[in-house]
Amino acid sequence: VPLAESLDLSRRHVEQTPVRDDAADALAARADGAAKLRWSPDSARSAEASVLALDERQRWRDGTLYGFADNRQWSGRATAAWRRGAHRLAPTVSASVFDHRSRSSVAPQPIAGDTGQRQLQRVYQAELLYNGRVAGAALDVGTQVRRDETETARVPGGLRAFTAVEPFAQVELAPAPGLALVPGVRVTHSSQWGTHVTPRVALRQRVGAGLTLRASAGEGFRAPDFKELYMRFVNQGAGYAVNGNPDLRPETSRNVTAGAEWAGTRAWARGQLYWNRFTDFIETRPVGAPGAPPVYEYGNVDDGTTRGVDVEGGVALAGVRLEASYAGLATRDDATGQALLARPAHSARATVAGTLPLAVRASVTGLFTGRTPMERDAATGAVTSWRDAFVRTDLRLARTLPGADAVELIVGADNLFDRRPAQWAGYTARHVYTALSWALTRTPTR
């Protein structure tokens, strides 16, 4: 029977808790595993099943107390496909359960018998997709059903759940040689926020060898997630709280993009211009009383626009791969006439990768994030706090161990030169790591 299996196992231990700057007595330990099984008896039929499980433990110092977070997750996914001529049908089902527990203690270990605060989230999803050709046109039609359930003492009644159904369709037409016209539509119906229709149309024109021009226009829709609707988060160490808002409205937008991409034998390049107009943008806003510890709440606080340019490219020469990208962004908040918060106007990335002696694969990546507005005066709208620009250099070395093709040793450093800009939340200092990766894979045989 033609089968393919894969198994990945990993174990990580870091003396640092994610998103926290203080490394004293901190740790994050995680073990996870993933397995996949694929069955393909012939070109017309296939089936695939996969599972993922993880167990994570975190500890940090919060004044005189220790904080603890225990996270466990498992997820499973099964999909199949049947093909007959120009028609293909593919159903997919998946389920995920995430169990989070937080505790505190005066000792480096949790108090025996302390159950802490628990949050259990379950997500179930099913999708049915049809691809085919009808009257010379390529047709994609499908529907997706999603069920979210969360149990926690942080929401009234202890349980919140909602269901969303999203049918969608798009057709690819060829009105002229090299030209593709792709209209599409998605309808979102949710028990929480009703029904919304988002149409879209795209054009693609192939011009000569390797050059493609693209353009699209459409509408966007983003519904509030669970934490924005219901959660109440209290950070006792930092002295603030964030409340959910069950009256939130979905974000909506209109967008236009135009771009080009070119691919040669050793080099490639891609560029895009875009413009977005959004309504009811969701952001946190202060709602606490003057002089009291700060309390924030999610709200539909912004209408505005974003526009920008994205360019990227790469080249491979003499065994060395060079890649670079740049993003320029301009934003406007209609309420204040100022730029949106937490969005840098400039960012860039560059990578050099190649093979060193002794079959060591090496890569050096530089990342630049420009100066970013973070807070504004509630009365005037003027920006009162900025996050400094940040240049970070990452280094990664990897080598497959001799005589063990499935085992790889990895050594690396993030923020190699230990840059520490002001106003950056969490841990920004140099992070040195090692990893040993082992993969068990068997390819199909007939």
Side-chain angles (χ1 to χ4, degrees), residues 43 198 341-342 371 390 402:
S43 60
T198 52
L341 299 178
R371 190 167 179 253
F390 186 16

Side-chain angles (χ1 to χ4, degrees), residues 73-106:
Q73 179 181 4
W74 72 264
S75 60
R77 180 177 181 271
T79 184
W82 293 272
R83 184 183 297 275
R84 184 172 183 179
H87 307 281
R88 179 179 181 271
L89 190 66
T92 301
V93 294
S94 63
S96 178
V97 177
F98 181 77
D99 191 350
H100 168 78
R101 182 172 59 166
S102 60
R103 294 173 288 177
S104 61
S105 171
V106 295

Side-chain angles (χ1 to χ4, degrees), residues 4-28:
E5 309 101 16
S6 67
L7 175 66
D8 292 287
L9 301 172
S10 69
R11 171 73 179 178
R12 305 173 182 88
H13 184 96
V14 182
E15 293 180 350
Q16 176 66 46
T17 307
V19 197
R20 292 180 179 269
D21 189 42
D22 188 1
D25 298 318
L27 67 85

Side-chain angles (χ1 to χ4, degrees), residues 177-188:
L179 177 65
L181 172 65
V182 186
V185 64
R186 178 181 290 266
V187 180
T188 300

